[in-house]
Amino acid sequence: MTNRKIVIVGASRGIGAALVELLHKDPMNEILAVSRNLNELERRFKKLDRVTVEQLDLTADVRQQATEIFSRFGDIDILINNAGLLVNKPFNQLNHEDISASYQVNVIGVMETVQAALPYLPSKGAHIVNISSMGGFQGSVKFPGLAAYSTSKAALCSFTELFVEEYKDTQIKMNCLCLGAAQTEMLEAAFPGYQAPLSASEMAEFIADFALNGHRWINGKILPVSLSTP
Ligand SMILES: NC(=O)c1ccc[n+]([C@@H]2O[C@H](COP(=O)([O-])OP(=O)(O)OC[C@H]3O[C@@H](n4cnc5c(N)ncnc54)[C@H](OP(=O)(O)O)[C@@H]3O)[C@@H](O)[C@H]2O)c1
């Protein structure tokens, strides 16, 4: 018998895929795993009962796509906005598409996903966890080439604070985790050869536990989760 319904956006690989596998271990959890690559979602998760996969592209009509998907899934107790796009280019070489795609996936797509989720968040409460980056955390060390990525992740932090202000009289909680480096395809593509101190699964352990429990104590907060970045 399941009684906790969890949506993971950006679940086809990396930290998101590790989150699905980890959270599936608890028979209480029913999981909706979404991203663009439906074949990969099916390949990874088809053997797992209590995991449904759906295609969602954060670059277009996000609110409409997500509304249709969520209407099939029903109530959402936990929503983890994990999908992300990292463009690594010197500032002067960033074109309009690089900047707008970064903001579309990392900020606008998240905001519209949350809008679509609102009707499905139960009145007893829900926890929304936004996955940001240490690059978007105020005062952290910054890296050249990440102006589009890290400013968009900073906007995601800001959205978290603004959402919580508007929903402070409800049982909906939202927090934002600013991750340090974890070994994934995104990291390898952006920083070839760099060895992160954590695997995707190790990072997912913290995120899963926080998503399940953190909102009992914490709401509207921007939290650094990093072994690597000052
Ligand atoms: N790895 C790190 O060191 C690190 C550090 C700080 C923050 N983070 C953040 O942690 C999150 C996960 O990172 P990761 O390293 O696991 O990245 P990843 O391996 O590149 O995985 C990203 C996930 O996002 C999905 N995604 C990308 N664009 C999408 C779109 N337009 N629509 C829907 N889904 C989309 C991808 O699936 P599809 O391709 O199937 O769409 C994939 O499942 C990201 O938000 C990232 O910014 C990671």
Side-chain angles (χ1 to χ4, degrees), residues 9-17 34-38 40-41 55-60 62 65 81-86 101 104-106 130-135 149 153 156 177-188 191 194 196 198 200 203 207 225 228:
V9 181
S12 64
R13 65 184 205 175
I15 294 165
V34 303
S35 72
R36 290 168 302 179
N37 191 340
L38 192 57
E40 183 61 12
L41 291 169
Q55 187 169 45
L56 174 68
D57 183 351
L58 293 175
T59 60
V62 179
Q65 288 181 75
N81 288 308
N82 168 75
L85 173 67
L86 190 157
Q104 177 62 42
V105 174
N106 297 338
N130 298 326
I131 302 300
S132 181
S133 165
M134 281 304 290
Y149 175 73
K153 289 296 194 179
L156 183 58
L177 299 180
C178 294
L179 308 187
Q183 200 62 42
T184 66
E185 289 175 57
M186 173 190 279
L187 189 82
E188 179 58 27
F191 301 103
Y194 175 77
L198 292 176
M203 187 62 90
I207 298 170
V225 182
S228 54

Side-chain angles (χ1 to χ4, degrees), residues 126-127 173 175 209-219:
H127 190 197
K173 314 288 188 201
N175 288 293
D209 186 49
F210 181 78
L212 296 176
N213 300 304
H215 56 312
R216 290 168 60 198
W217 297 277
I218 297 170
N219 188 28

Side-chain angles (χ1 to χ4, degrees), residues 111-168:
M111 293 170 74
E112 292 185 339
T113 300
V114 172
Q115 287 175 323
L118 285 173
Y120 301 99
L121 303 179
S123 54
K124 68 176 165 60
H127 190 197
I128 302 170
V129 179
N130 298 326
I131 302 300
S132 181
S133 165
M134 281 304 290
F137 188 79
Q138 188 178 14
S140 70
V141 70
K142 299 294 185 275
F143 295 97
L146 298 186
Y149 175 73
S150 294
T151 59
S152 69
K153 289 296 194 179
L156 183 58
C157 296
S158 184
F159 164 60
T160 304
E161 294 178 323
L162 287 151
F163 177 89
V164 166
E165 174 58 27
E166 279 197 42
Y167 286 83
K168 65 187 176 191

